[in-house]
Amino acid sequence: MTKQSSLKQPVKGLIFDYGATIDSNGTHWAEVIWQGYEAAGLPVSKDNFRLAYVYGERTLATEPLIKPEHNFRDLLNIKINLQIDYLRREALLTGEIPDHAALQITAFCYGFALGSIEKARPVLQQLASRYPFVLVSNFYGNIASVLEDFNLLSFFPDIIESAVVGIRKPDPRIFALGVEKLALPPQEIVVIGDSYGKDIVPAASLGCQTIWIKGKGWDEKENEIDHPHILSDFSDLRNLL
């Protein structure tokens, strides 16, 4: 779905989410990893995979397994091994895991991210010539290394990362820090994210304008939500901004 009505106020600055907005074109990372599981032939149901995914995310949020120097391939490898260990421990597999499955899934997901980022890069280049950027992301303390690995770091001189500032979305305060960095009235800032609950709602509560990059999400109930600025492809930002 693409829904491109005009923005109400003049735009002078942009706040971007990163994960699933820039690096997967709106597709939730659980869906990308599940595609990797299918490609690798892992013997697990999608419902049990989702349990493993949640376990992995909660573990990474509470244990310092991701180091600042870890790039995205490192992060994926750690995350997927956490998931597979959980599936084994909880006896949620219906067969043997193929040899090198974790490496195969990591490679699949890294390639997916790389392809999405290569499509997003010219959009970022064009918009960066017109607007200042801030990145606001729930991440693990290594987002600078991830951005550097993908040659994106130069686009984001200001980064607000949850693991660094101690505030996580959907808390509006993390977006307020982004607004503060831009030093602009909220109504002149557009927040661009893939999650209605974690990006669009908290940013709008501050008075920011919002654009929803909407791909296949975690919660199918979001399909019933209307919003004036829904894009199905990151590249469509050039038609709206």
Side-chain angles (χ1 to χ4, degrees), residues 83-161:
Q83 294 168 6
I84 291 175
D85 288 346
Y86 173 87
L87 292 168
R88 282 183 170 136
R89 188 169 62 249
E90 299 298 320
L92 297 177
L93 297 165
T94 57
E96 292 297 319
I97 293 180
D99 292 341
H100 309 300
L103 290 176
Q104 185 176 345
I105 298 167
T106 294
F108 176 94
C109 294
Y110 188 88
F112 190 101
L114 187 61
S116 298
I117 287 166
E118 288 307 309
K119 292 179 181 178
R121 189 185 313 282
V123 181
L124 293 171
Q125 288 174 332
Q126 180 177 336
L127 294 177
S129 68
R130 298 167 54 199
Y131 305 106
F133 290 176
V134 172
L135 194 71
V136 174
S137 180
N138 282 354
F139 224 75
Y140 311 97
N142 67 320
I143 199 165
S145 295
V146 170
L147 294 172
E148 186 172 22
D149 181 39
F150 287 124
N151 195 27
L152 293 176
L153 189 57
S154 62
F155 288 118
F156 300 105
D158 292 307
I159 297 171
I160 311 296
E161 184 177 8

Side-chain angles (χ1 to χ4, degrees), residues 69-87:
E69 66 272 15
H70 283 156
N71 63 24
F72 193 57
R73 194 183 297 273
D74 298 327
L75 188 159
L76 284 168
N77 192 50
I78 293 168
K79 180 178 292 195
I80 290 161
N81 276 291
L82 278 172
Q83 294 168 6
I84 291 175
D85 288 346
Y86 173 87
L87 292 168

